Amino acid sequence: MLRRLALTAVVPLAALATAVPATSATASGPESFVPAPSAVPTSGPFAAARPALGPLPMPLPLPGFLDGGAGTAPGEVDEARTRLTVSVENTGVPGADGTFELECGPTGGSHPEGQAACDRLVEAGATRSGRQELFRETPEGTMCTMIHGGDAFARIVGTWEGRRVDTTATRRDGCEIARWNSLVPVLPDVR
């Protein structure tokens, strides 16, 4: 790899040095032609390198290759691939229970806080930890505080940034309460 990098630096410099004639002003008069010294190495591992006969080709961008074929640049989120069905029950909050559709890019569906929910999903998708943790269920055997946060239950099904989502959320202990709160406003705020 290092050899290839050195060759890509030496060859264009050598081509430039041999292609551009040097001129110099002399004390006796006008500018005169002075041949440029060759930048091509005459010994060592780069002696076989010859200057290219023209400009080097520019590398082609491969966005489909870099992001798994999604067609978006790194760091960009394709919101149009987010479509979720959120079912909520037993929250104790008027108007919060029910089944709601959420679509992002453009925002649509029947979710009562659609734009805020889409903004939260975009925010979480912008970080690696958010993409990995947002819909992940609490692992079995995790030490959680035994605080009961109520009987609220939610199920989220659909796609988020092109990934399948099928998860449930409750408020049965401290870990699940924290998980529920991280999903607000996709889920209703029942604090």
Side-chain angles (χ1 to χ4, degrees), residues 33 73 75 135 182:
F33 177 76
F135 292 108
S182 75

Side-chain angles (χ1 to χ4, degrees), residues 66-67 71-79 122-128 131 161:
L66 296 175
D67 68 358
T72 57
E76 272 185 30
V77 176
D78 185 5
E79 290 183 73
V122 168
E123 175 188 342
T127 65
R128 181 178 180 185
R131 287 189 302 274
E161 294 184 352

